Amino acid sequence: MSADNDDARLAKARAKLERGFQGEEDLEGLSTPQKDFIAACVIAAFSVFALVLAWQWHNPGHLRFTHPGLLPIIIGVTLFAMAVGLGVRAVREGGARNLGSIFARTPEGEEQGYGPRVWILIGLVTALVILVDIISFRIRIPIGGFEFKLSSFECTAIPVVTVIMKVFWRASWVRCFLVAAVTAMALAAAFRYGFKIPMPGVD
Amino acid sequence: MILDQLLLALSPYLIFVCLVGVTLGILWGAMPGLSTTMAMALLIGLSTGMSQSVAIVFILGVFTGSVFGGAISAVLINIPGTPDAVPTMIEGYPLARRGEGGLALGTAIAASFLGNWIGILLLIALIPMVLKIALEFRSLEMFLLAMWGIAISGTMSAGKRPLKGWISGWIGLVFAFVGLDAIHAVPRYTFGSSILEDGINYIPVLIGLFGLSEILRVLPQQRPVGIPAEVGRVVPPLRTLWKYAGTSIRSGLIGTIIGAIPGAGANVASFLSYDIGRRRAKPEERKKWGTGSYEAIVCSEVANNANIGGSMLPTLTLGIPGSAAAAAFLAALELKNVVVGPTLQTEHPGLIYFIYIVLIIANFLMYGMAIVLVKPCIKLFSLPQTLLMPVILLICVLGSYAVALSYFDVYVMLAAGLVGYLLRRFGFPLAPMVLAIILGPLADENLRRALVVMEHKSFWTIVTDHPVGALLVLIVLYTFYDGIFRRR
């Protein structure tokens, strides 16, 4: 079974090389006409928004060439043109039909449950960032001549990372907690004492 | 001056830092899913607490180590540690299955060592010439060069769909304009927020795009742990390399030239060198390609390592990063108040020699550490990504905060990570966006300055005054023409 997987992976890589220049970033298979069509609509709206804002800026100078919106307007117009180009090609390839396919539970070429797992991860990462910002305290414990510092960063990061590990690593809660605690404390210590960088919040 | 820099670079502490960087880079590169760019982006945050020389040594050590590191997992577990190691995987893994893993990895180590040398020597040879030309550049040329950098980066990173690369770059430009404009201090896209008046710091953007978005992509995948093939004794076969001397030099040249083109990095270099190598291989050797060819490993590994030197060329002389990883190096330099570009030699005398020497030291250390680290790396492959990625997430948070000790930057990193993830899901490359955010302010300021200077001049006077500018206009137009009409 493993040998079959290895052979399949090698065959896929060989086929990729045969297809020629694919660009520096491996984007093969990520585009569909439907995705391109939706992206084109969003980018067109974004470019119009950027363009309208740039148009409204006043020019304190006496030369039109020094207008602060000069390059933003040029970029807005050309970005809109590019979005139209992307949209037209997507429509020609059938991108305006079957738009629901991009919201399919398991899109083609994607493993079962990947999409929901991404959303869970985005939720947990956002929660970590917000919690580290809003929770702010510090604990200082003198041990001999050394002062042990514990900030809200470690106290917030440990439970959130424990949950992330539980969801994706699927080890026991105790194991996830221990790994999360050791890594969060070690990282905080490396930044605080090694690189002399204080932790977010009060440190 | 060179001697001072040599003595500084050879100080035991800096050699130790370089050794740590190279070791970390090799281990990082060997782990599937952890790319060189990700390592570089995360390290910028860590380097804030380091002195200038320590930060440069550490980051260049990691850069050199991680590009080679990708070959280890490619040969031993059939998963490329970095995307540029795919050709090495195609050739190295069948060799490992035949019990020649040690020899395959030895070839990769020796080829990487040679590739680095070719890249460094070409860098040393070409920098004085490029700097001389760059000193003649005025505002118009700098604007056009920045725009060409973004456009070519879009073309090179998006492959057959350059339009998507350009769109990514153009979105980056819009974000680059956020803040007070450089000439009149008019707030642009700030929505009345004083925090946004300082503009968007591109370092958290870099960490978000290459760190967080990768975590979001890789962590939810349920990839089984690889079972390493037999490795045997790792011996770099210098005689084999001598046999492929011509191939090595050709691949080194390809790697360096590709590295100097913004947006094209180790991946393009390795694939192109492999492709050209296959076409030019002798018939009896060509039969082995695809099933375990040492010549193919040499082609791929020499090119992707020579790319490091090549990518430094536009980064140091023009301030235009040759690759996404070089963009991270540029960011780290700027954090240390080093402004790279045509005036590098006058503003920071000796720095360029220091960088050469560090690259050479890192290369020697890479050669030694690669041989030592192959077997410990096998143990690393049993570590699941689901264990590593949450730790990297914490480094993303702390790293983006450390840049300016501002929590706003952490939110910028989060937003950039989410935007980066979405863009990738929709097939847009990320490197052009990073390049645009770095080059946007430079392009804006230089365009307006150039237009003011040229206000009352006739078209022909402008053309005759700026022959390089006229040539650059043609190059920019050709880049778009080529992308629109030839890559359909």
Side-chain angles (χ1 to χ4, degrees), chain A residues 93-105:
Chain A
E93 290 171 358
R97 294 189 299 269
N98 193 22
L99 281 174
S101 65
I102 67 161
F103 302 109
R105 285 192 79 83

Side-chain angles (χ1 to χ4, degrees), chain A residues 161 165 179 183-184 187, chain B residues 215 386-396:
Chain A
V161 172
M165 284 185 170
V179 175
T183 49
L187 271 176
Chain B
I215 295 172
T386 45
L387 193 64
L388 284 174
M389 288 295 173
V391 181
I392 296 169
L393 170 65
L394 294 182
I395 300 177
C396 287

